[in-house]
Amino acid sequence: MISAQDLSPAELAALLHFHADAGVDWLLEDEPMDRFAEFAAGRQARAPQRSSEPQQPEIRSAPQQAAPSPQQAARAPASAPPAPVNVALPDDQAIASARFAAESARSLLELKTALESFNGCNLKNSARNTVFAEGDPSSGIMIVGPMPDADDDREGLPFTGKTGLLLDRMLAAIGLDRGKLMLTNVVPWRPPGNRSPSGPEMEICRPFIERQIALAEPKVLLLLGNFTARFFFGGSGTIHTMRGQWRDVAVGPSTAPAIATLHPQELLNAPASKSLAWNDLLAFQARLRDL
């Protein structure tokens, strides 16, 4: 067993981040517990008592559980109601339910409420938070990413952590402030292990992001990453073939011009691609001057 004293600060921080991403909230008990002794005592209490007296016919009754230890009794709540479980609907029903909930919203606040109360997507069952849009919708500028990462899921906000810091620097380089535009994601719940959402999961989330864009009425869209570009532009191309090209995206009854570029996480993984993203940002900045 490796002790914390044997780890460097960087290794210890990486280990803590790993446990946090895995959902571990508490690492230590309030008091030391000998789990091996507790298990042995429980097994002995459940063992049948042997005696020299003649065996009586066995009468089966409900099994009795070993009495909890004082430490367990102190930690146990007086009455713990069962945790609610969100049962996802079949795909077709879930998509129809999502479309109805999204179209019924008449404002972004109503859409946020509808999204937080929607239980038809499996992704919500494993996510900590529903990550809705942040920023000023009246700016006419909307930046759309693919889905929340672990930092976003913990904070309940889009584009936090290292990717958020890099995005802030990218925006500042062309004179933009994240507080004066609108940030959002296609998918509002973090998929387990940051996997890509399935086809049905994407279609369940589609009515919400499309309604969000229609209510915000952006004049321009900046799409971040391969997943987001495919979601709006269609096809199976990569971000390197779809970036830097202005295309129209349907926004309710009208359309809005959109350009795709690399996601900040992709730039962290491949810093050599920053020059490509910079060219896309300059094109985005030029378009903003024409508004």
Side-chain angles (χ1 to χ4, degrees):
M1 179 176 180
I2 299 176
S3 173
Q5 288 80 4
D6 299 330
L7 301 176
S8 66
E11 292 172 334
L12 184 58
L15 181 61
L16 292 175
H17 280 295
F18 169 78
H19 285 301
D21 289 340
V24 178
D25 294 322
W26 299 98
L27 298 180
L28 300 175
E29 298 281 357
D30 294 335
E31 298 179 5
M33 294 285 295
D34 188 342
R35 298 297 183 186
F36 294 101
E38 182 181 356
F39 175 77
R43 183 173 60 179
Q44 184 177 3
R46 292 190 297 270
Q49 299 294 329
R50 298 181 179 273
S51 66
S52 57
E53 298 178 0
Q55 294 288 338
Q56 298 293 328
E58 181 182 4
I59 300 176
R60 296 186 179 271
S61 60
Q64 296 181 354
Q65 297 181 348
S69 64
Q71 293 88 345
Q72 291 175 320
R75 289 197 301 270
S79 58
V85 177
N86 297 326
V87 180
L89 302 172
D91 295 338
D92 292 341
Q93 296 181 28
I95 294 172
S97 178
R99 187 177 298 114
F100 176 80
E103 293 176 354
S104 299
R106 293 294 176 261
S107 67
L108 289 171
L109 182 59
E110 289 184 8
L111 183 64
K112 181 176 185 292
T113 301
L115 189 59
E116 290 174 340
S117 60
F118 181 76
N119 294 324
C121 184
N122 287 326
L123 295 177
K124 188 176 183 180
N125 295 334
S126 59
R128 293 186 180 185
N129 285 297
T130 298
V131 181
F132 193 68
E134 180 192 33
D136 181 11
S138 65
S139 64
I141 304 172
M142 179 179 281
I143 298 179
V144 186
M147 64 207 76
D149 61 14
D151 293 320
D152 302 342
D153 191 30
R154 279 193 295 268
E155 299 295 331
L157 297 171
F159 298 102
T160 62
K162 293 182 179 179
T163 58
L165 292 175
L166 179 55
L167 179 61
D168 290 348
R169 292 197 294 268
M170 294 166 62
L171 296 175
I174 57 173
L176 295 177
D177 182 349
R178 70 180 289 161
K180 298 179 180 178
L181 46 82
M182 192 170 182
L183 299 172
T184 191
N185 285 301
V186 171
V187 176
W189 302 289
R190 180 201 178 198
N194 291 338
R195 66 167 174 80
S196 294
S198 66
E201 289 167 347
M202 290 169 53
E203 293 308 311
I204 292 171
C205 295
R206 184 180 294 277
F208 291 108
I209 184 60
E210 290 183 344
R211 184 60 176 163
Q212 189 178 137
I213 296 174
L215 290 172
E217 298 181 338
K219 297 178 181 178
V220 287
L221 291 166
L222 179 62
L223 310 180
L224 301 179
N226 191 70
F227 176 88
T228 313
R230 286 183 179 178
F231 183 87
F232 287 102
F233 294 161
S236 57
T238 66
I239 187 60
H240 290 278
T241 62
M242 293 183 287
R243 52 157 289 273
Q245 306 171 29
W246 285 100
R247 307 187 190 187
D248 287 336
V249 170
V251 182
S254 60
T255 59
I259 189 172
T261 190
L262 289 89
H263 192 280
Q265 185 60 54
E266 295 169 330
L267 300 179
L268 291 173
N269 296 337
S273 299
K274 288 183 178 181
S275 60
L276 300 176
W278 176 240
N279 291 332
D280 299 336
L281 291 175
L282 292 178
F284 188 70
Q285 183 187 43
R287 190 63 175 256
L288 293 178
R289 294 195 188 104
D290 298 333
L291 295 180

